[in-house]
Coordinates of all heavy atoms in Angstrom, one line a residue:
R1 N -9.8 3.1 14.8 CA -8.5 2.4 15.1 C -7.4 3.2 14.7 O -7.3 3.7 13.5 CB -8.6 1.1 14.4 CG -8.8 -0.1 15.3 CD -9.2 -1.3 14.6 NE -8.1 -2.1 14.2 CZ -8.3 -3.2 13.5 NH1 -9.5 -3.6 13.2 NH2 -7.2 -3.9 13.2
P2 N -6.3 3.3 15.5 CA -5.1 4.1 15.0 C -4.4 3.3 14.0 O -4.5 2.0 13.9 CB -4.3 4.3 16.3 CG -4.8 3.2 17.2 CD -6.2 2.9 16.8
V3 N -3.6 3.9 13.2 CA -2.7 3.3 12.2 C -1.6 2.6 13.0 O -1.0 3.2 13.9 CB -2.1 4.3 11.3 CG1 -1.0 3.7 10.4 CG2 -3.1 4.9 10.4
V4 N -1.4 1.3 12.7 CA -0.3 0.6 13.4 C 1.0 0.7 12.7 O 2.0 0.8 13.3 CB -0.8 -0.9 13.5 CG1 0.3 -1.8 14.2 CG2 -2.1 -1.0 14.3
A5 N 1.0 0.6 11.4 CA 2.2 0.6 10.6 C 2.7 2.0 10.3 O 1.8 2.9 10.2 CB 2.0 -0.2 9.3
S6 N 3.9 2.2 10.1 CA 4.5 3.4 9.6 C 5.9 3.1 9.0 O 6.5 2.1 9.4 CB 4.6 4.5 10.7 OG 5.5 4.1 11.7
L7 N 6.3 4.0 8.2 CA 7.6 3.9 7.6 C 8.6 4.7 8.3 O 8.3 5.7 8.9 CB 7.6 4.3 6.1 CG 6.7 3.6 5.2 CD1 6.7 4.2 3.8 CD2 7.2 2.1 5.0
D8 N 9.9 4.4 8.2 CA 11.0 5.2 8.6 C 11.1 6.4 7.6 O 11.3 6.2 6.5 CB 12.3 4.4 8.6 CG 13.5 5.2 9.0 OD1 13.4 6.5 9.1 OD2 14.5 4.6 9.3
A9 N 10.8 7.6 8.1 CA 10.7 8.8 7.2 C 12.0 9.0 6.4 O 11.9 9.4 5.2 CB 10.4 10.1 8.0
S10 N 13.1 8.7 6.9 CA 14.4 8.9 6.2 C 14.4 7.9 5.0 O 15.0 8.2 4.0 CB 15.6 8.6 7.0 OG 15.6 7.3 7.5
K11 N 13.7 6.8 5.0 CA 13.8 5.8 3.9 C 12.9 6.3 2.7 O 13.1 5.8 1.6 CB 13.3 4.5 4.4 CG 14.3 3.9 5.4 CD 13.9 2.5 5.7 CE 15.0 1.9 6.6 NZ 14.7 0.5 6.9
L12 N 12.0 7.2 2.9 CA 11.2 7.7 1.8 C 12.0 8.5 0.8 O 11.8 8.5 -0.4 CB 10.0 8.5 2.3 CG 8.8 7.7 2.8 CD1 7.8 8.7 3.4 CD2 8.2 6.9 1.7
E13 N 13.1 9.1 1.3 CA 13.9 9.9 0.5 C 15.1 9.1 -0.1 O 15.7 9.5 -1.0 CB 14.5 11.1 1.3 CG 13.4 12.0 1.7 CD 13.9 13.2 2.4 OE1 15.1 13.5 2.4 OE2 13.0 13.9 3.0
G14 N 15.3 7.9 0.5 CA 16.4 7.0 0.0 C 15.8 5.8 -0.5 O 14.6 5.8 -1.0
S15 N 16.5 4.7 -0.5 CA 15.9 3.4 -1.0 C 15.3 2.7 0.2 O 15.9 2.7 1.3 CB 17.0 2.6 -1.7 OG 18.0 2.3 -0.7
F16 N 14.3 2.0 -0.1 CA 13.7 1.1 0.9 C 13.0 0.0 0.2 O 12.8 0.0 -1.0 CB 12.7 1.9 1.9 CG 11.5 2.5 1.2 CD1 10.3 1.8 1.2 CD2 11.5 3.7 0.6 CE1 9.1 2.3 0.6 CE2 10.4 4.3 0.0 CZ 9.2 3.6 0.0
G17 N 12.7 -1.1 0.9 CA 12.1 -2.3 0.3 C 10.7 -2.6 0.6 O 10.1 -1.8 1.4
L18 N 10.2 -3.7 0.1 CA 8.9 -4.1 0.3 C 8.5 -4.3 1.8 O 7.4 -4.1 2.2 CB 8.6 -5.4 -0.5 CG 8.5 -5.2 -2.0 CD1 8.6 -6.6 -2.7 CD2 7.2 -4.5 -2.4
D19 N 9.5 -4.7 2.6 CA 9.3 -5.0 4.0 C 8.7 -3.7 4.7 O 8.1 -3.8 5.7 CB 10.5 -5.5 4.7 CG 10.8 -6.9 4.4 OD1 9.9 -7.6 3.9 OD2 11.9 -7.3 4.7
E20 N 9.0 -2.6 4.2 CA 8.6 -1.3 4.8 C 7.1 -1.2 4.8 O 6.5 -0.4 5.6 CB 9.2 -0.1 4.1 CG 10.7 -0.1 4.2 CD 11.3 -0.1 5.6 OE1 10.7 0.6 6.5 OE2 12.3 -0.8 5.8
F21 N 6.4 -1.9 4.0 CA 4.9 -1.8 3.9 C 4.2 -2.7 4.8 O 3.0 -2.6 5.0 CB 4.4 -2.1 2.4 CG 4.9 -1.1 1.5 CD1 6.0 -1.3 0.7 CD2 4.3 0.1 1.3 CE1 6.5 -0.4 -0.3 CE2 4.7 1.1 0.4 CZ 5.8 0.8 -0.4
L22 N 4.9 -3.7 5.5 CA 4.3 -4.7 6.3 C 3.6 -4.0 7.5 O 4.0 -3.0 8.0 CB 5.4 -5.6 6.9 CG 6.0 -6.6 5.9 CD1 7.2 -7.3 6.6 CD2 5.0 -7.6 5.4
G23 N 2.4 -4.6 7.8 CA 1.6 -4.1 8.9 C 0.2 -3.8 8.6 O -0.3 -4.1 7.5
E24 N -0.4 -3.1 9.5 CA -1.8 -2.7 9.3 C -1.9 -1.2 9.1 O -1.3 -0.4 9.9 CB -2.7 -3.1 10.5 CG -4.2 -2.8 10.3 CD -5.0 -3.4 11.5 OE1 -5.1 -4.6 11.6 OE2 -5.4 -2.5 12.2
W25 N -2.6 -0.8 8.1 CA -2.8 0.6 7.7 C -4.3 0.9 7.7 O -5.1 0.0 7.7 CB -2.2 0.9 6.3 CG -0.8 0.6 6.2 CD1 -0.2 -0.6 6.0 CD2 0.3 1.5 6.3 NE1 1.2 -0.5 5.9 CE2 1.5 0.8 6.1 CE3 0.4 2.9 6.6 CZ2 2.8 1.4 6.2 CZ3 1.7 3.5 6.6 CH2 2.8 2.7 6.4
R26 N -4.7 2.1 7.6 CA -6.1 2.5 7.3 C -6.0 3.5 6.1 O -5.2 4.4 6.1 CB -6.7 3.1 8.5 CG -8.2 3.3 8.3 CD -9.0 3.5 9.5 NE -9.0 2.5 10.5 CZ -9.9 1.5 10.6 NH1 -10.9 1.4 9.7 NH2 -9.9 0.7 11.6
D27 N -6.9 3.2 5.1 CA -6.9 4.1 3.9 C -7.8 5.3 4.1 O -8.6 5.4 5.1 CB -7.1 3.3 2.6 CG -8.5 2.9 2.4 OD1 -9.4 3.2 3.2 OD2 -8.8 2.2 1.4
S28 N -7.8 6.2 3.1 CA -8.6 7.4 3.2 C -10.1 7.1 3.1 O -10.9 8.0 3.4 CB -8.1 8.4 2.0 OG -8.1 7.7 0.8
A29 N -10.5 5.9 2.7 CA -11.9 5.6 2.7 C -12.3 4.9 4.0 O -13.4 4.4 4.1 CB -12.2 4.7 1.5
G30 N -11.4 4.8 4.9 CA -11.7 4.2 6.2 C -11.5 2.6 6.2 O -11.8 2.0 7.2
R31 N -11.0 2.1 5.2 CA -10.8 0.6 5.1 C -9.5 0.2 5.8 O -8.6 0.9 5.8 CB -10.8 0.1 3.7 CG -12.1 0.3 2.9 CD -12.0 -0.1 1.5 NE -11.1 0.8 0.8 CZ -11.2 1.2 -0.4 NH1 -12.2 0.7 -1.2 NH2 -10.4 2.1 -1.0
V32 N -9.6 -1.0 6.4 CA -8.4 -1.6 7.0 C -7.6 -2.2 5.9 O -8.1 -2.9 5.1 CB -8.7 -2.6 8.1 CG1 -7.5 -3.3 8.6 CG2 -9.5 -2.0 9.2
V33 N -6.3 -1.9 5.8 CA -5.4 -2.4 4.8 C -4.3 -3.2 5.5 O -3.5 -2.7 6.3 CB -4.7 -1.3 4.0 CG1 -3.8 -1.9 2.9 CG2 -5.8 -0.4 3.3
E34 N -4.3 -4.5 5.3 CA -3.3 -5.4 6.0 C -2.3 -5.9 4.9 O -2.7 -6.5 3.9 CB -4.0 -6.6 6.6 CG -4.9 -6.2 7.7 CD -5.6 -7.4 8.4 OE1 -5.0 -8.5 8.5 OE2 -6.7 -7.2 8.8
V35 N -1.0 -5.6 5.2 CA 0.1 -6.0 4.3 C 0.9 -7.1 5.0 O 1.4 -6.9 6.1 CB 0.9 -4.8 3.9 CG1 2.0 -5.2 2.9 CG2 0.1 -3.6 3.3
S36 N 1.1 -8.2 4.3 CA 1.8 -9.3 4.8 C 2.7 -10.0 3.8 O 2.5 -9.8 2.6 CB 0.9 -10.3 5.5 OG 0.0 -10.9 4.5
R37 N 3.6 -10.8 4.2 CA 4.5 -11.6 3.3 C 3.6 -12.7 2.8 O 2.9 -13.3 3.5 CB 5.6 -12.2 4.1 CG 6.8 -11.3 4.3 CD 8.0 -12.1 4.8 NE 9.1 -11.2 5.0 CZ 9.2 -10.4 6.1 NH1 8.3 -10.4 7.0 NH2 10.2 -9.6 6.2
P38 N 3.8 -13.0 1.5 CA 3.1 -14.1 0.9 C 3.7 -15.4 1.5 O 4.8 -15.5 1.9 CB 3.3 -14.0 -0.6 CG 4.5 -13.2 -0.7 CD 4.6 -12.3 0.5
P39 N 2.9 -16.5 1.5 CA 3.4 -17.7 2.1 C 4.4 -18.5 1.3 O 5.0 -19.4 1.7 CB 2.1 -18.6 2.3 CG 1.1 -18.0 1.3 CD 1.5 -16.6 1.2
T40 N 4.5 -18.1 0.0 CA 5.4 -18.8 -0.9 C 6.6 -18.0 -1.2 O 6.6 -16.8 -1.1 CB 4.7 -19.1 -2.2 OG1 4.3 -17.9 -2.8 CG2 3.5 -20.0 -2.0
Q41 N 7.7 -18.6 -1.6 CA 9.0 -18.0 -1.9 C 9.2 -18.2 -3.4 O 8.8 -19.2 -3.9 CB 10.1 -18.5 -1.1 CG 10.0 -18.3 0.4 CD 10.2 -16.8 0.7 OE1 10.8 -16.0 0.0 NE2 9.5 -16.3 1.8
P42 N 9.9 -17.4 -4.1 CA 10.5 -16.2 -3.7 C 9.4 -15.1 -3.6 O 8.4 -15.1 -4.3 CB 11.5 -15.8 -4.8 CG 11.0 -16.4 -6.0 CD 10.3 -17.7 -5.5
V43 N 9.7 -14.1 -2.8 CA 8.8 -13.0 -2.6 C 9.0 -12.0 -3.7 O 10.0 -11.4 -3.9 CB 9.0 -12.3 -1.2 CG1 8.1 -11.1 -1.1 CG2 8.8 -13.2 -0.1
R44 N 7.9 -11.8 -4.5 CA 8.0 -10.8 -5.6 C 7.2 -9.6 -5.3 O 7.2 -8.6 -5.9 CB 7.4 -11.5 -6.9 CG 8.3 -12.6 -7.4 CD 7.9 -13.1 -8.7 NE 8.0 -12.0 -9.7 CZ 7.3 -11.8 -10.8 NH1 6.3 -12.7 -11.0 NH2 7.5 -10.8 -11.6
G45 N 6.4 -9.7 -4.2 CA 5.6 -8.6 -3.7 C 5.0 -9.0 -2.4 O 5.1 -10.1 -1.9
M46 N 4.3 -8.0 -1.8 CA 3.6 -8.3 -0.5 C 2.1 -8.4 -0.8 O 1.5 -7.7 -1.6 CB 3.9 -7.1 0.4 CG 5.3 -7.0 0.9 SD 5.8 -8.4 1.8 CE 7.5 -8.1 2.0
D47 N 1.5 -9.3 0.0 CA 0.1 -9.5 -0.1 C -0.7 -8.4 0.6 O -0.2 -7.9 1.7 CB -0.4 -10.8 0.6 CG 0.0 -12.1 -0.2 OD1 0.4 -11.9 -1.4 OD2 0.0 -13.2 0.4
V48 N -1.7 -7.9 0.0 CA -2.5 -6.8 0.6 C -4.0 -7.3 0.6 O -4.5 -7.8 -0.4 CB -2.4 -5.5 -0.3 CG1 -3.4 -4.4 0.3 CG2 -1.0 -5.0 -0.4
V49 N -4.6 -7.2 1.8 CA -6.0 -7.5 2.0 C -6.6 -6.3 2.5 O -6.3 -5.8 3.6 CB -6.2 -8.7 2.9 CG1 -7.7 -9.0 3.1 CG2 -5.5 -10.0 2.4
M50 N -7.6 -5.7 1.8 CA -8.3 -4.5 2.1 C -9.7 -4.8 2.4 O -10.4 -5.5 1.6 CB -8.2 -3.5 0.9 CG -8.7 -2.2 1.2 SD -8.5 -1.1 -0.3 CE -6.8 -1.2 -0.6
S51 N -10.2 -4.4 3.5 CA -11.6 -4.6 3.9 C -12.5 -4.0 2.8 O -12.1 -2.9 2.3 CB -11.9 -4.1 5.3 OG -11.8 -2.7 5.4
A52 N -13.6 -4.6 2.5 CA -14.5 -4.0 1.5 C -15.2 -2.8 2.0 O -15.4 -2.6 3.2 CB -15.6 -5.1 1.2
A53 N -15.5 -1.9 1.1 CA -16.1 -0.6 1.4 C -17.5 -0.8 1.9 O -18.0 0.0 2.7 CB -16.1 0.3 0.2
K54 N -18.2 -1.8 1.5 CA -19.6 -2.1 1.9 C -19.7 -3.4 2.6 O -19.0 -4.4 2.2 CB -20.5 -2.2 0.6 CG -20.6 -0.8 -0.1 CD -21.5 -0.9 -1.3 CE -21.6 0.4 -2.0 NZ -22.5 0.4 -3.1
K55 N -20.4 -3.4 3.7 CA -20.6 -4.7 4.5 C -21.2 -5.8 3.6 O -22.0 -5.5 2.7 CB -21.5 -4.4 5.7 CG -20.8 -3.5 6.7 CD -21.6 -3.6 8.0 CE -20.9 -2.7 9.0 NZ -21.0 -3.2 10.3
G56 N -20.7 -7.0 3.9 CA -21.2 -8.1 3.2 C -20.4 -8.5 1.9 O -20.7 -9.5 1.3
R57 N -19.5 -7.6 1.5 CA -18.7 -7.9 0.4 C -17.4 -8.5 0.8 O -16.9 -8.2 1.9 CB -18.4 -6.5 -0.4 CG -19.6 -5.9 -1.0 CD -19.3 -5.5 -2.3 NE -20.5 -5.1 -3.0 CZ -20.6 -4.2 -4.0 NH1 -19.5 -3.6 -4.4 NH2 -21.7 -4.0 -4.6
P58 N -16.8 -9.3 -0.1 CA -15.5 -9.9 0.3 C -14.4 -8.9 0.3 O -14.5 -7.9 -0.4 CB -15.3 -11.0 -0.8 CG -16.1 -10.5 -2.0 CD -17.3 -9.7 -1.4
P59 N -13.3 -9.2 1.1 CA -12.2 -8.3 1.1 C -11.5 -8.2 -0.3 O -11.7 -9.1 -1.1 CB -11.2 -8.8 2.1 CG -11.7 -10.2 2.4 CD -13.1 -10.3 1.9
I60 N -10.9 -7.1 -0.6 CA -10.1 -6.9 -1.8 C -8.7 -7.4 -1.7 O -8.1 -7.0 -0.7 CB -10.2 -5.4 -2.2 CG1 -11.6 -4.9 -2.4 CG2 -9.3 -5.1 -3.5 CD1 -11.8 -3.4 -2.3
K61 N -8.2 -8.2 -2.6 CA -6.9 -8.8 -2.5 C -6.0 -8.2 -3.6 O -6.4 -8.3 -4.8 CB -6.9 -10.3 -2.5 CG -7.7 -10.9 -1.3 CD -7.7 -12.4 -1.4 CE -8.4 -12.9 -0.2 NZ -8.4 -14.4 -0.1
L62 N -4.9 -7.6 -3.2 CA -4.0 -7.0 -4.1 C -2.5 -7.4 -3.8 O -2.3 -8.2 -2.8 CB -4.1 -5.5 -4.1 CG -5.5 -4.9 -4.3 CD1 -5.5 -3.5 -3.9 CD2 -5.8 -5.0 -5.8
N63 N -1.6 -6.8 -4.4 CA -0.2 -7.0 -4.1 C 0.5 -5.7 -4.2 O 0.2 -4.9 -5.1 CB 0.5 -8.0 -5.1 CG 0.0 -9.4 -5.0 OD1 -0.9 -9.7 -5.8 ND2 0.4 -10.1 -4.0
V64 N 1.5 -5.4 -3.3 CA 2.4 -4.3 -3.5 C 3.6 -4.9 -4.1 O 4.2 -5.9 -3.6 CB 2.8 -3.7 -2.1 CG1 3.9 -2.6 -2.3 CG2 1.6 -3.0 -1.4
V65 N 4.1 -4.3 -5.3 CA 5.2 -4.8 -6.0 C 6.2 -3.7 -6.2 O 5.8 -2.5 -6.3 CB 4.8 -5.5 -7.3 CG1 4.0 -6.7 -7.1 CG2 4.1 -4.5 -8.2
E66 N 7.5 -4.0 -6.3 CA 8.5 -3.1 -6.6 C 8.6 -3.0 -8.2 O 8.7 -4.0 -8.8 CB 9.8 -3.4 -6.0 CG 10.9 -2.3 -6.1 CD 12.1 -2.5 -5.2 OE1 12.1 -3.6 -4.5 OE2 12.9 -1.6 -5.2
L67 N 8.6 -1.8 -8.7 CA 8.7 -1.6 -10.1 C 10.2 -1.5 -10.5 O 11.1 -1.2 -9.7 CB 8.0 -0.3 -10.5 CG 6.6 -0.2 -10.1 CD1 6.0 1.3 -10.3 CD2 5.7 -1.2 -10.8
S68 N 10.5 -1.7 -11.8 CA 11.9 -1.6 -12.3 C 12.4 -0.2 -12.1 O 13.7 -0.1 -12.0 CB 11.9 -2.1 -13.8 OG 11.1 -1.2 -14.6
S69 N 11.6 0.8 -12.0 CA 12.0 2.1 -11.8 C 12.5 2.4 -10.4 O 13.0 3.5 -10.1 CB 10.9 3.1 -12.2 OG 9.8 2.9 -11.3
G70 N 12.2 1.4 -9.5 CA 12.5 1.6 -8.1 C 11.3 2.1 -7.3 O 11.4 2.1 -6.1
G71 N 10.2 2.4 -7.9 CA 9.0 2.8 -7.2 C 8.2 1.6 -6.8 O 8.7 0.4 -7.0
F72 N 7.0 1.8 -6.4 CA 6.1 0.7 -5.9 C 4.7 0.9 -6.5 O 4.3 2.0 -6.7 CB 6.0 0.7 -4.4 CG 7.4 0.4 -3.8 CD1 8.3 1.4 -3.4 CD2 7.8 -0.9 -3.6 CE1 9.5 1.1 -2.9 CE2 9.0 -1.2 -3.0 CZ 9.9 -0.2 -2.7
A73 N 4.0 -0.2 -6.7 CA 2.7 -0.2 -7.2 C 1.8 -1.1 -6.4 O 2.3 -2.1 -5.9 CB 2.6 -0.5 -8.7
C74 N 0.5 -0.8 -6.3 CA -0.4 -1.6 -5.6 C -1.7 -1.5 -6.4 O -2.3 -0.4 -6.5 CB -0.7 -1.2 -4.2 SG -1.8 -2.3 -3.3
G75 N -2.1 -2.6 -7.1 CA -3.2 -2.6 -8.0 C -2.9 -1.6 -9.1 O -1.8 -1.7 -9.7
H76 N -3.8 -0.6 -9.4 CA -3.5 0.4 -10.4 C -3.1 1.7 -9.8 O -3.3 2.8 -10.4 CB -4.7 0.5 -11.4 CG -6.0 0.8 -10.7 ND1 -6.5 2.1 -10.6 CD2 -6.9 0.0 -10.2 CE1 -7.6 2.0 -10.0 NE2 -7.9 0.8 -9.7
Y77 N -2.5 1.6 -8.7 CA -1.9 2.8 -8.0 C -0.4 2.7 -7.9 O 0.1 1.6 -7.7 CB -2.5 3.0 -6.6 CG -4.0 3.4 -6.6 CD1 -5.0 2.5 -6.9 CD2 -4.3 4.8 -6.4 CE1 -6.3 2.9 -6.9 CE2 -5.6 5.2 -6.4 CZ -6.6 4.2 -6.7 OH -7.9 4.7 -6.7
E78 N 0.3 3.9 -8.0 CA 1.7 3.9 -7.8 C 2.0 4.8 -6.7 O 1.4 5.9 -6.5 CB 2.4 4.4 -9.1 CG 3.9 4.3 -9.1 CD 4.5 4.6 -10.4 OE1 3.8 4.5 -11.5 OE2 5.7 4.9 -10.4
L79 N 3.0 4.4 -5.8 CA 3.3 5.2 -4.7 C 3.9 6.6 -5.1 O 4.8 6.6 -5.9 CB 4.3 4.5 -3.8 CG 4.8 5.2 -2.6 CD1 3.6 5.3 -1.6 CD2 6.0 4.5 -1.9
A80 N 3.3 7.6 -4.7 CA 3.8 9.0 -4.9 C 4.8 9.3 -3.8 O 4.4 10.0 -2.8 CB 2.7 10.0 -5.0
A81 N 6.0 8.9 -3.8 CA 7.0 9.0 -2.7 C 7.2 10.5 -2.4 O 7.4 10.8 -1.2 CB 8.3 8.3 -3.1
A82 N 7.2 11.3 -3.3 CA 7.5 12.8 -3.0 C 6.4 13.4 -2.2 O 6.6 14.4 -1.5 CB 7.6 13.5 -4.4
N83 N 5.2 12.8 -2.3 CA 4.0 13.3 -1.5 C 3.7 12.5 -0.3 O 2.8 12.8 0.4 CB 2.8 13.4 -2.4 CG 3.0 14.3 -3.5 OD1 3.6 15.4 -3.4 ND2 2.5 14.0 -4.7
S84 N 4.6 11.5 0.0 CA 4.3 10.6 1.1 C 5.2 10.9 2.3 O 6.2 11.6 2.2 CB 4.6 9.1 0.7 OG 3.7 8.7 -0.3
S85 N 4.8 10.4 3.5 CA 5.6 10.6 4.7 C 5.7 9.3 5.4 O 5.0 8.3 5.0 CB 5.0 11.7 5.6 OG 3.8 11.3 6.1
A86 N 6.3 9.2 6.6 CA 6.4 8.0 7.3 C 5.1 7.4 7.7 O 4.9 6.2 7.9 CB 7.3 8.2 8.5
E87 N 4.1 8.3 8.0 CA 2.8 7.8 8.5 C 1.7 8.1 7.5 O 0.5 7.9 7.8 CB 2.5 8.5 9.8 CG 3.5 8.0 10.9 CD 3.2 8.6 12.2 OE1 2.1 9.3 12.4 OE2 4.0 8.4 13.1
R88 N 2.0 8.5 6.3 CA 1.0 8.8 5.3 C 1.5 8.5 3.9 O 2.4 9.2 3.3 CB 0.7 10.3 5.3 CG -0.4 10.7 4.4 CD -0.8 12.2 4.6 NE -1.8 12.6 3.8 CZ -1.7 13.4 2.8 NH1 -0.5 14.0 2.5 NH2 -2.8 13.8 2.0
L89 N 1.0 7.4 3.3 CA 1.5 6.9 2.0 C 0.4 7.4 1.0 O -0.7 7.1 1.1 CB 1.6 5.4 1.9 CG 2.6 4.8 2.9 CD1 2.6 3.3 2.7 CD2 4.0 5.3 2.6
V90 N 0.9 8.1 0.0 CA 0.0 8.6 -1.0 C 0.2 7.8 -2.3 O 1.3 7.6 -2.8 CB 0.3 10.1 -1.4 CG1 -0.6 10.6 -2.5 CG2 0.2 11.0 -0.1
W91 N -0.9 7.2 -2.8 CA -0.9 6.4 -4.0 C -1.7 7.1 -5.0 O -2.8 7.5 -4.8 CB -1.6 5.0 -3.6 CG -0.9 4.2 -2.6 CD1 -1.1 4.3 -1.3 CD2 0.2 3.3 -2.8 NE1 -0.2 3.4 -0.6 CE2 0.5 2.8 -1.6 CE3 0.8 2.8 -4.0 CZ2 1.5 1.8 -1.4 CZ3 1.8 1.8 -3.8 CH2 2.1 1.3 -2.6
E92 N -1.1 7.2 -6.2 CA -1.7 7.9 -7.4 C -2.2 6.9 -8.3 O -1.5 5.9 -8.7 CB -0.8 8.9 -8.1 CG -1.5 9.6 -9.2 CD -0.7 10.8 -9.7 OE1 0.5 10.9 -9.5 OE2 -1.3 11.6 -10.5
D93 N -3.5 7.0 -8.7 CA -4.1 6.1 -9.7 C -3.6 6.4 -11.1 O -3.8 7.5 -11.6 CB -5.7 6.4 -9.6 CG -6.5 5.4 -10.5 OD1 -5.9 4.8 -11.4 OD2 -7.7 5.3 -10.2
F94 N -2.8 5.4 -11.6 CA -2.3 5.7 -13.0 C -3.3 5.4 -14.1 O -3.0 5.8 -15.2 CB -0.9 4.9 -13.2 CG -0.9 3.5 -13.0 CD1 -1.4 2.6 -13.9 CD2 -0.4 2.9 -11.9 CE1 -1.4 1.2 -13.8 CE2 -0.3 1.6 -11.7 CZ -0.8 0.7 -12.6
R95 N -4.4 4.9 -13.8 CA -5.5 4.8 -14.8 C -6.3 6.1 -14.9 O -6.8 6.5 -15.9 CB -6.5 3.7 -14.4 CG -6.0 2.3 -14.6 CD -7.1 1.4 -14.4 NE -6.7 0.0 -14.3 CZ -7.4 -1.0 -13.9 NH1 -8.6 -0.8 -13.4 NH2 -6.9 -2.2 -13.9
S96 N -6.4 6.8 -13.7 CA -7.1 8.1 -13.7 C -6.2 9.1 -13.0 O -6.4 9.3 -11.8 CB -8.4 7.9 -12.9 OG -9.3 7.0 -13.5
P97 N -5.2 9.7 -13.7 CA -4.4 10.7 -13.0 C -5.1 11.8 -12.3 O -6.2 12.2 -12.8 CB -3.6 11.2 -14.2 CG -3.6 10.1 -15.2 CD -5.0 9.5 -15.1
G98 N -4.6 12.1 -11.2 CA -5.3 13.1 -10.3 C -6.2 12.5 -9.2 O -6.6 13.2 -8.3
N99 N -6.4 11.2 -9.3 CA -7.1 10.4 -8.2 C -6.1 9.8 -7.3 O -5.1 9.2 -7.8 CB -8.0 9.4 -8.8 CG -9.2 10.0 -9.5 OD1 -9.6 11.1 -9.2 ND2 -9.8 9.2 -10.4
F100 N -6.3 9.9 -6.0 CA -5.3 9.4 -5.0 C -6.0 8.5 -4.0 O -7.2 8.7 -3.7 CB -4.6 10.6 -4.3 CG -3.9 11.4 -5.2 CD1 -4.4 12.5 -5.9 CD2 -2.5 11.2 -5.5 CE1 -3.7 13.3 -6.7 CE2 -1.8 11.9 -6.4 CZ -2.4 13.0 -7.0
A101 N -5.3 7.6 -3.4 CA -5.7 6.9 -2.2 C -4.6 7.1 -1.2 O -3.4 7.2 -1.5 CB -5.8 5.4 -2.5
I102 N -5.0 7.3 0.0 CA -4.0 7.5 1.1 C -4.1 6.5 2.2 O -5.2 6.1 2.6 CB -4.2 8.9 1.7 CG1 -4.0 10.0 0.6 CG2 -3.2 9.2 2.8 CD1 -4.4 11.4 1.0
W103 N -2.9 5.9 2.6 CA -2.9 5.0 3.7 C -2.3 5.7 4.8 O -1.4 6.5 4.7 CB -2.0 3.8 3.4 CG -2.4 2.8 2.3 CD1 -3.5 2.9 1.5 CD2 -1.8 1.6 1.9 NE1 -3.5 1.9 0.6 CE2 -2.5 1.1 0.9 CE3 -0.6 1.0 2.4 CZ2 -2.1 -0.1 0.2 CZ3 -0.2 -0.2 1.8 CH2 -1.0 -0.7 0.7

């Protein structure tokens, strides 16, 4: 399945908000990643539902949140904006530096 969501490339170098993550992505492990607005207000982050890596397992539920530094985090990954593009988001594992996930 092709990636449905993408970011405006110019926004990666400037400021952008949580709405930019909305849509369906596919990660580097082949999982479908769906980002949506939470049903409650105020919105502090976006809901993320990631298909499980193994059949029969429940989906993984996370949130994309904006950090006080202006960056973004999802689970224990932080967006590596300098290494990301409009169609390729690079997330660095801050628990295990040097490990990455790509949407």
Side-chain angles (χ1 to χ4, degrees):
R1 254 162 90 176
V3 171
V4 175
S6 65
L7 295 175
D8 177 347
S10 65
K11 292 185 176 187
L12 281 173
E13 296 181 13
S15 63
F16 64 97
L18 288 167
D19 284 346
E20 300 301 322
F21 295 99
L22 290 171
E24 184 176 288
W25 303 82
R26 188 161 298 267
D27 75 2
S28 49
R31 296 177 291 215
V32 174
V33 179
E34 296 180 33
V35 182
S36 61
R37 277 190 183 79
T40 60
Q41 296 292 333
V43 175
R44 295 190 61 212
M46 294 295 174
D47 289 342
V48 177
V49 177
M50 185 179 303
S51 62
K54 295 183 181 180
K55 289 192 177 214
R57 294 225 169 152
I60 300 163
K61 295 181 180 183
L62 303 164
N63 296 98
V64 173
V65 295
E66 189 165 4
L67 304 172
S68 61
S69 64
F72 296 90
C74 183
H76 55 92
Y77 287 80
E78 188 170 342
L79 181 68
N83 297 322
S84 296
S85 68
E87 295 183 6
R88 182 175 183 251
L89 299 179
V90 178
W91 297 89
E92 184 169 12
D93 187 339
F94 55 78
R95 287 187 189 165
S96 301
N99 288 335
F100 298 89
I102 300 170
W103 295 2

